[in-house]
């Protein structure tokens, strides 16, 4: 196994996973790693290294929310959905986060996540035009942070310092993630929002989503309110709307994970962190989970990424097939 100088990655870590064409000629190639699991947790297909340790980033949110439910968090399905969200900062998202905070006598001033403009372009333009300054509420992780604060309230844990890795909340979440992934957390870093972010294998991430799919309240919330998990014109929202029972969550640096109600699951990462490649590879992941060709064709537009020439489509970014285990 040849390692790249100065990195922990090897030449076996990633394999070709998506390719773009321009005027019928292949132009760009993206590498990635991924895995699909059957309902019993066995590997069905693998590309690159399924045991590659990654930061799932916001793919962690459903796992963190499940941990908080297990620790006694009782909120509405809308509030639980936004706890799993990388929301676009639309009015309904912000109102739901405020309601979650109010349910435990807290306000947006108690949030300790990064001050930011909304993730969604339309919401960002609207609030900027109104002269509303950036805030922690607008940041896409505010639902998760509101749920973290509410979980502290329920358990009598201190609000101050709730993002510290040694805080009881974060210790509880870390232990729960290890249960869901069936493996130890390899590293803990700092996410963009300021919360601890665990790193573990892609196989472990797929295993965790499989566990959630088999009866978690988090799944019920995400599938009931996919518009709160992402937002308008967000691919995760559109996929969950188009395929009842599917859970899907994206993470920064081009990570994606999901599962079907039968427990079959997937997780993958694009090596160069290109989000467009993350979007299109979803088609291959769903195909490998057994989603029929007609359903995929009917929803192909969700993962359509055109290559433009003179403002017009002259090519596409498409996924490559993964090796399947027979």
């Amino acid at each position: 196994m040849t390692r790249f100088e100065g990195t922990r990655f090897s030449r076996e870590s990633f394999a070709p996973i998506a390719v773009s064409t321009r005027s019928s000629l292949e132009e760009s190639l993206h590498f990635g790693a991924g895995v699909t699991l059957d309902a019993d947790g066995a590997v069905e297909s693998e590309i690159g290294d399924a045991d590659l340790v990654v930061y799932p980033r916001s793919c962690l949110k459903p796992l963190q929310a499940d941990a908080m439910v297990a620790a006694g968090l009782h909120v509405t399905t809308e509030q639980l959905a936004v706890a799993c969200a990388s929301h676009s900062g639309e009015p309904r998202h912000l109102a739901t986060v405020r309601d979650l905070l109010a349910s435990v006598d807290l306000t947006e001033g108690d949030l300790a996540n990064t001050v930011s403009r909304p993730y969604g372009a339309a919401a960002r333009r609207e609030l900027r035009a109104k002269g509303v300054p950036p805030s922690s509420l607008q940041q896409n992780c505010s639902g998760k942070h509101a749920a973290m604060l509410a979980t502290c309230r329920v358990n009598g844990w201190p609000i101050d310092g709730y993002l510290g890795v040694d805080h009881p909340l974060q210790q509880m979440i870390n232990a729960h993630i290890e249960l869901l992934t069936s493996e130890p957390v390899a590293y803990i870093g700092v996410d963009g929002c300021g919360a601890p972010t665990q790193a573990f294998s892609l196989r472990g991430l797929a295993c965790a989503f499989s566990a959630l799919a088999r009866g978690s309240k988090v799944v019920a919330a995400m599938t009931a309110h996919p518009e709160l998990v992402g937002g308008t014109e967000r691919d995760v929202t559109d996929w969950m709307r188009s395929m009842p029972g599917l859970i899907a969550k994206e993470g920064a640096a081009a990570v994606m994970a999901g599962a079907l109600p039968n427990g079959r699951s997937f997780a993958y990462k694009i090596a160069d962190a290109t989000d467009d490649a993350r979007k299109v590879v979803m088609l291959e992941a769903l195909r490998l989970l057994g989603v029929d060709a007609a359903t995929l064709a009917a929803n192909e537009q969700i993962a359509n990424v055109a290559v433009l020439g003179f403002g017009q489509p002259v090519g596409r970014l498409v996924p490559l097939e993964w090796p399947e285990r027979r």
Side-chain angles (χ1 to χ4, degrees):
M1 181 178 290
T2 305
R3 294 204 170 272
F4 299 116
E5 185 177 356
T7 81
R8 62 184 176 85
F9 298 129
S10 73
R11 297 188 185 279
E12 289 76 25
S13 297
F14 301 106
I17 201 168
V19 63
S20 65
T21 58
R22 177 180 298 275
S23 303
S24 302
L25 179 68
E26 292 179 351
E27 181 178 40
S28 300
L29 183 66
H30 299 277
F31 285 68
V35 64
T36 64
L37 305 180
D38 66 18
D40 296 320
V43 173
E44 287 191 319
S45 64
E46 178 181 6
I47 189 166
D49 182 7
D51 292 311
L52 181 69
V53 171
V54 304
Y55 282 118
R57 303 295 295 276
S58 284
C59 291
L60 286 176
K61 288 172 179 172
L63 283 60
Q64 292 164 322
D66 191 66
M68 291 186 273
V69 169
L73 178 66
H74 295 289
V75 293
T76 67
T77 55
E78 291 90 345
Q79 291 164 1
L80 187 55
V82 86
C84 300
S86 298
H87 64 71
S88 291
E90 297 166 14
R92 186 177 176 189
H93 298 137
L94 304 188
T96 304
V97 175
R98 286 193 185 101
D99 289 345
L100 199 167
L101 289 165
S103 71
V104 289
D105 297 320
L106 295 172
T107 70
E108 58 186 277
D110 294 296
L111 295 169
N113 55 300
T114 307
V115 171
S116 177
R117 294 276 185 194
Y119 182 89
R124 190 163 57 247
R125 286 193 301 269
E126 180 180 352
L127 293 184
R128 183 179 285 118
K130 291 180 178 178
V132 178
S135 69
S136 293
L137 177 69
Q138 296 168 43
Q139 201 259 347
N140 75 86
C141 303
S142 62
K144 175 183 76 176
H145 283 256
M148 286 180 170
L149 288 168
T151 304
C152 288
R153 276 282 202 245
V154 167
N155 288 278
W157 296 329
I159 297 299
D160 292 342
Y162 75 92
L163 296 183
V165 292
D166 294 328
H167 191 282
L169 170 76
Q170 303 300 341
Q171 291 287 300
M172 177 275 297
I173 289 174
N174 195 76
H176 193 82
I177 286 174
E178 293 186 333
L179 288 175
L180 291 174
T181 60
S182 297
E183 65 180 68
V185 167
Y187 301 96
I188 301 178
V190 181
D191 213 337
C193 65
T197 184
Q198 287 79 5
F200 44 86
S201 75
L202 286 166
R203 187 196 303 263
L205 181 58
C207 181
F209 270 74
S210 178
L212 293 179
R214 294 191 289 267
S216 169
K217 290 181 179 179
V218 165
V219 171
M222 292 175 71
T223 55
H225 302 286
E227 72 283 355
L228 291 176
V229 179
T232 305
E233 298 183 348
R234 295 280 299 281
D235 62 301
V236 288
T237 292
D238 292 342
W239 278 119
M240 288 191 285
R241 278 177 172 164
S242 69
M243 298 181 57
L246 169 73
I247 54 169
K249 187 70 189 74
E250 88 282 33
V255 184
M256 190 78 169
L260 296 176
N262 61 12
R264 297 180 74 181
S265 61
F266 70 87
Y268 60 85
K269 175 178 172 58
I270 308 303
D272 61 4
T274 300
D275 200 53
D276 280 346
R278 175 197 64 77
K279 290 179 182 178
V280 303
V281 171
M282 181 71 166
L283 287 168
E284 175 66 1
L286 291 175
R287 183 188 72 81
L288 290 165
L289 291 193
V291 176
D292 63 274
T295 298
L296 291 178
N299 295 287
E300 189 176 12
Q301 187 61 32
I302 298 172
N304 181 51
V305 176
V307 173
L308 301 181
F310 201 50
Q312 299 298 318
V314 296
R316 291 183 63 197
L317 178 62
V318 297
L320 298 174
E321 291 188 0
W322 301 9
E324 295 182 51
R325 294 190 178 180
R326 299 295 185 184

